[in-house]
Amino acid sequence: MTETDKSASAASPLDQFLCFSVYAAGLAFNRVYKPLLDRYGITYPQYLAIIALSARDGQKVSELGERLFLESNTLTPLIKRLEAAGLVSRRRDEHDERIVRVSLTDTGRALATEAQACIPAEILKASGLGENELRALNQQMTALGASLRGAV
Amino acid sequence: MTETDKSASAASPLDQFLCFSVYAAGLAFNRVYKPLLDRYGITYPQYLAIIALSARDGQKVSELGERLFLESNTLTPLIKRLEAAGLVSRRRDEHDERIVRVSLTDTGRALATEAQACIPAEILKASGLGENELRALNQQMTALGASLRGAV
DNA sequence: AACGATTAGATCGTGTGCGATTGTTATTCG
DNA sequence: CGAATAACAATCGCACACGATCTAATCGTT
């Protein structure tokens, strides 16, 4: 394993970039999840939104956005697709009509439960990591994200 | 710092997902890069493509795709935008007309040089990591991507 | 030479991300 | 009270990602 390793492709300057390995790992995660999620008819970001909703129902769009690091311009259409699929419901807050609260439907909650029961194990296997390694890497990536976000 | 830490948002099941911390770090990288790249009028994926091209000129679209883990359906429009911006040139291989070879123009090469001179230092700073930590994390993410890709 | 099979890239439709703007509903303050 | 302001979600335009399909060029076999 030297700097002239050709196992996958010739050495590339991209190999030196953490941003690139993160980008590429993100693409790879997406591709591993896709066939698993196709069974449920949802996309990977939709899956993340459902996980976030499974923690607490009736979250505001902006709260969901804080958890997912997304804004209404991305979330509104995504949530509407989940609504069209019958997985979530949207309703205006009765005390503040500016706010839209999102909840899982029974179907959505069942999907969240079922998906969380099968998928994580498959991902763990695909990652090639042990549970402890995965947890450690997760912490580092969480910290990295926090640093990058705070660096503005 | 307990499981009820509320510093950013209440604990979320997403916190347990490596895929999510990677996803969120990817979003965060994108947002750190955006103002830096806006000066050059390019996007983050375009920047990665230019870095990949700076290693070797005249790469095939498919070679570029192997480096970036993308396919022609994504790369063709991206490269055409770079061409429209005057940063790369596209020409058919003279021995095999199916192949399109992509090269940096002088402008594109100058941009690659300049961008690589300023940006990595800013990113290192924003990441909150030391050089060694960054290198170690990069290796782990590269390995993770390789595992996920091979797991199909 | 001629045919089908393979390869390379381009194209199309859908779903994110995101900067910028808009519309509507609360809140603040004169 | 009423006008300015702020907050919230929605909308719009553009640029990725990606499955699916298409076209054109080459290769392999006979």
Side-chain angles (χ1 to χ4, degrees):
Chain A
M1 179 158 33
T2 72
E3 65 278 20
T4 58
D5 181 12
K6 289 200 171 56
S7 58
S9 57
S12 159
L14 288 173
D15 298 342
Q16 304 304 118
F17 287 63
L18 176 60
C19 66
F20 177 67
S21 59
V22 171
Y23 166 82
L27 294 180
F29 263 125
N30 209 320
R31 288 165 196 167
V32 171
Y33 268 104
K34 180 154 305 240
L36 303 175
L37 293 175
D38 276 349
R39 297 196 289 241
Y40 303 110
I42 58 175
T43 67
Y44 179 56
Q46 289 168 9
Y47 172 68
L48 295 176
I50 287 174
I51 301 293
L53 276 173
S54 74
R56 190 162 59 85
D57 248 356
Q59 287 182 75
K60 301 190 276 188
V61 171
S62 55
E63 284 172 345
L64 222 43
E66 282 170 30
R67 287 181 192 280
L68 296 168
F69 304 109
L70 296 172
E71 314 221 342
S72 69
N73 50 8
T74 299
L75 276 178
T76 295
L78 187 154
I79 293 169
K80 284 189 172 177
R81 283 182 208 108
L82 289 177
E83 186 182 33
L87 300 174
V88 308
S89 64
R90 293 170 352 118
R91 64 177 195 288
R92 292 275 169 184
D93 186 292
E94 52 184 86
H95 298 309
D96 187 340
E97 292 274 330
R98 294 173 301 183
I99 295 172
V100 170
R101 299 206 170 268
V102 187
S103 303
L104 288 174
T105 62
D106 291 345
T107 311
R109 186 160 297 280
L111 189 155
T113 305
E114 190 182 339
Q116 289 196 64
C118 343
I119 293 186
E122 304 229 33
I123 300 299
L124 178 63
K125 191 175 56 154
S127 73
L129 298 171
E131 286 195 33
N132 292 334
E133 291 174 291
L134 184 141
R135 208 181 339 265
L137 198 49
N138 184 28
Q139 279 181 9
Q140 291 183 81
M141 291 309 292
T142 302
L144 173 62
S147 283
L148 292 172
R149 247 168 268 125
V152 187
Chain B
M1 179 158 36
T2 72
E3 66 276 23
T4 57
D5 181 13
K6 289 200 172 57
S7 57
S9 57
S12 159
L14 288 173
D15 298 342
Q16 304 304 118
F17 286 65
L18 176 60
C19 65
F20 177 67
S21 60
V22 171
Y23 166 82
L27 294 181
F29 263 125
N30 209 321
R31 287 165 197 168
V32 172
Y33 269 105
K34 176 151 310 233
L36 303 175
L37 293 175
D38 275 350
R39 297 197 290 241
Y40 303 111
I42 58 175
T43 67
Y44 179 56
Q46 289 169 9
Y47 172 69
L48 295 176
I50 287 175
I51 301 293
L53 275 172
S54 73
R56 190 162 58 83
D57 249 355
Q59 288 182 73
K60 302 190 275 189
V61 171
S62 55
E63 284 172 345
L64 222 44
E66 284 170 28
R67 288 182 191 278
L68 296 169
F69 305 109
L70 296 172
E71 314 222 342
S72 71
N73 50 6
T74 300
L75 276 178
T76 295
L78 187 153
I79 293 170
K80 285 188 172 178
R81 281 179 212 111
L82 289 177
E83 185 183 33
L87 300 174
V88 308
S89 65
R90 294 172 350 119
R91 62 176 197 287
R92 292 275 170 184
D93 186 291
E94 52 184 86
H95 297 309
D96 186 340
E97 292 274 330
R98 293 173 302 183
I99 295 171
V100 170
R101 297 204 172 270
V102 186
S103 304
L104 287 175
T105 61
D106 291 344
T107 311
R109 185 161 298 281
L111 189 155
T113 305
E114 191 184 338
Q116 289 196 66
C118 341
I119 293 186
E122 303 229 35
I123 301 299
L124 178 62
K125 192 176 54 152
S127 74
L129 298 172
E131 285 195 34
N132 291 335
E133 292 173 291
L134 184 140
R135 209 183 336 269
L137 197 48
N138 184 29
Q139 279 182 9
Q140 291 182 80
M141 290 309 292
T142 302
L144 173 61
S147 282
L148 292 172
R149 247 168 268 124
V152 187

